[in-house]
Amino acid sequence: MRHFHAVVNRIANVLFAVSLVFGFLMMAHVTVDVAARTLFNAPLPGTGEITASWYMVAVAFLPLGWVTLRDQHVTADLFVARMSARRQAVVAVMTDILSMTYLVAFVWQTWISAMKNTQRGEVWEIFGGYLPVWPVRWILPVAGTVMLLAFLSRLMSRLTEPGTLEQD
């Protein structure tokens, strides 16, 4: 199990690093666009489309496995905080299982969409040409799969840690 967790952690770390690169590229691209527009009245064509279709998708989805492994998702634990430790553990396990169920459907549907868009070579028309967006469609099933594996790793840890689900 430790090997599985280490592999998932390494993959999540790589995707997180890639998302940071995309975030830096987005900031640089937008900064150059604003400077070119302000100083030379010549904005970079397609900046909005590239930002929306490539950068933002990568920045939003690639880190999901990393966030899951560190249990850093936004939570509202108003009711759970008042529960006993055992009940909190049961709710955590149930939440992981429900999340994994959703992620299976998410990965399946985004995989189908990515396949279709790849086969047809999906592009967006932008000023001066076309922007291929079919490669970005693969970010969702890849990120979803890593998030699913992160939940599985976390669930296995929860279920095998001594005392996790024992009585208070």
Side-chain angles (χ1 to χ4, degrees):
M1 182 172 89
R2 287 183 190 203
H3 180 69
F4 176 72
H5 180 76
V7 168
V8 172
N9 191 51
R10 187 164 294 134
I11 294 168
N13 286 341
V14 167
L15 292 183
F16 181 69
V18 171
S19 76
L20 292 175
V21 169
F22 271 98
F24 175 78
L25 290 172
M26 177 173 55
M27 289 187 303
H29 191 157
V30 171
T31 300
V32 170
D33 178 60
V34 169
R37 183 178 337 124
T38 304
L39 299 174
F40 308 112
N41 197 26
L44 299 178
T47 298
E49 292 85 355
I50 294 168
T51 299
S53 66
W54 280 79
Y55 301 138
M56 293 179 93
V57 173
V59 169
F61 287 94
L62 289 177
L64 289 177
W66 188 89
V67 171
T68 301
L69 285 174
R70 285 148 186 83
D71 203 15
Q72 296 294 310
H73 291 285
V74 175
T75 59
D77 58 356
L78 178 67
F79 299 109
V80 176
R82 295 176 182 242
M83 293 180 181
S84 68
R86 180 180 188 278
R87 286 188 178 163
Q88 287 180 7
V90 169
V91 167
V93 167
M94 289 175 25
T95 302
D96 286 353
I97 292 170
L98 286 172
S99 298
M100 290 169 56
T101 303
Y102 167 78
L103 282 167
V104 166
F106 176 83
V107 169
W108 174 41
Q109 290 301 309
T110 57
W111 178 274
I112 291 170
S113 176
M115 289 292 292
K116 287 179 184 175
N117 289 315
T118 299
Q119 288 171 349
R120 67 184 181 112
E122 180 186 19
V123 295
W124 284 4
E125 187 173 357
I126 61 172
F127 182 75
Y130 296 95
L131 174 67
V133 292
W134 65 265
V136 181
R137 302 301 183 210
W138 288 100
I139 289 176
L140 276 67
V142 168
T145 299
V146 174
M147 187 178 184
L148 178 62
L149 293 173
F151 268 110
L152 180 60
S153 175
R154 201 168 76 178
L155 179 63
M156 290 177 0
S157 294
R158 287 189 205 279
L159 294 176
T160 58
E161 288 175 6
T164 302
L165 298 175
E166 295 174 3
Q167 294 287 344
D168 290 322

